[in-house]
Amino acid sequence: MNEKKQRIAVCVSGGGTNLQAIIDAVASGKITNTEISLVVSNKKEAYALERAKKAGIPEKCINPKDFPDGDAFGKAMTELFEEYKIDLIVLAGYLVIIPEILVKNYRNRIINIHPSLIPAHCGMGYYGLKVHESVLNTGNKVTGATVHFVDEQADHGPILLQKAVEVKEGDTPEILQKRVMEEAEWQLLPEAVNLIGQGRVKIEGQIAHIIS
Ligand code: GRF
């Protein structure tokens, strides 16, 4: 039976290495039953948009600052995702607060990759290198990455996948970020997209279950 392909939109703000991991996983067949139908950035200079262009994926730049408020921005994003018949929104290094109206319209259909083991080192102000600085300042011996569903609070929705990464003596935030990306983020996000595309994820309250 030819299952309907899952259409995903990937939201980016920076280099797009997590987007590239998804692009490569679709190309290699690691991700089945999924099409990257759209890439959206809030920054026109984001290299992630170049990656989309190179992969022949439609890309758009939508700046939240061009809207009077979060509601108007959320409505515009909802309309764009509906126009592209998006099933799943993937936040991959997307440094924009998702408006409540978008969370409601896409309840349990928005996932985010965060570079720590939530609920540690997350929430407002914890992004990019700041996350790894916090891990090093705390003296953690283990960190990692988390893929979670997005709800109305930052880095708070049902956790889908996590992977631990060792913190090593002499790590700088940059070295640690690279290790977390290579050993965790770039594995987990494609795996999460694949699981959801195969209909193997079920959310009950605050818990996401993976059906084998
Ligand atoms: C990185 O800090 C990564 O840990 C987080 O988003 C930032 C940019 O990632 N997920 P990317 O290279 O743009 O995917």
Side-chain angles (χ1 to χ4, degrees):
M1 186 258 283
N2 179 20
E3 270 177 54
K4 175 184 161 307
K5 264 198 178 196
Q6 167 182 249
R7 293 170 61 88
I8 70 171
V10 184
C11 298
V12 295
S13 298
T17 62
N18 279 286
L19 165 66
Q20 193 63 53
I22 298 170
I23 291 170
D24 295 348
V26 170
S28 70
K30 264 199 205 145
I31 293 180
T32 62
N33 198 37
T34 291
E35 173 193 294
I36 308 170
S37 308
L38 178 66
V39 171
V40 183
S41 182
N42 57 313
K43 297 210 181 310
K44 64 183 181 316
E45 70 280 5
Y47 186 67
L49 291 175
E50 286 311 307
R51 296 181 190 268
K53 284 180 196 147
K54 282 199 189 107
I57 300 167
E59 34 78 33
K60 296 250 184 236
C61 180
I62 300 201
N63 188 341
K65 297 188 177 74
D66 292 343
F67 297 87
D69 55 33
D71 244 9
F73 169 58
K75 280 199 184 88
M77 292 290 269
T78 298
E79 281 160 20
L80 177 66
F81 293 136
E82 284 171 351
E83 181 193 342
Y84 277 80
K85 299 181 176 45
I86 298 301
D87 301 303
L88 177 70
I89 299 165
V90 181
L91 309 183
Y94 190 53
L95 301 178
V96 171
I97 303 296
I98 304 301
E100 283 201 11
I101 188 166
L102 184 54
V103 173
K104 283 184 178 33
N105 290 335
Y106 281 84
R107 177 74 58 195
N108 293 333
R109 293 197 291 156
I110 309 175
I111 59 173
N112 179 48
I113 177 88
H114 181 77
S116 76
L117 296 177
I118 285 176
H121 310 289
C122 68
M124 292 300 279
Y126 285 86
Y127 58 88
L129 285 175
K130 293 176 193 290
V131 174
H132 306 291
E133 284 163 11
S134 176
V135 168
L136 294 172
N137 293 338
T138 308
N140 283 122
K141 302 309 174 195
V142 171
T143 185
T146 302
V147 178
H148 65 93
F149 286 91
V150 171
D151 64 10
E152 285 79 359
Q153 295 174 55
D155 302 328
H156 176 264
I159 291 171
L160 176 54
L161 293 171
Q162 291 189 298
K163 188 162 188 269
V165 172
E166 186 189 359
V167 180
K168 295 182 178 174
E169 280 303 320
D171 270 350
T172 63
E174 291 76 8
I175 292 170
L176 187 52
Q177 177 178 56
K178 193 163 183 326
R179 189 179 310 122
V180 169
M181 285 170 133
E182 286 171 347
E183 296 183 11
E185 294 181 49
W186 298 342
Q187 323 296 328
L188 292 184
L189 200 51
E191 187 184 342
V193 168
N194 193 43
L195 286 169
I196 296 167
Q198 291 178 346
R200 292 179 49 202
V201 175
K202 188 160 162 265
I203 296 176
E204 289 173 349
Q206 191 61 17
I207 308 295
H209 297 280
I210 296 173
I211 305 157
S212 56

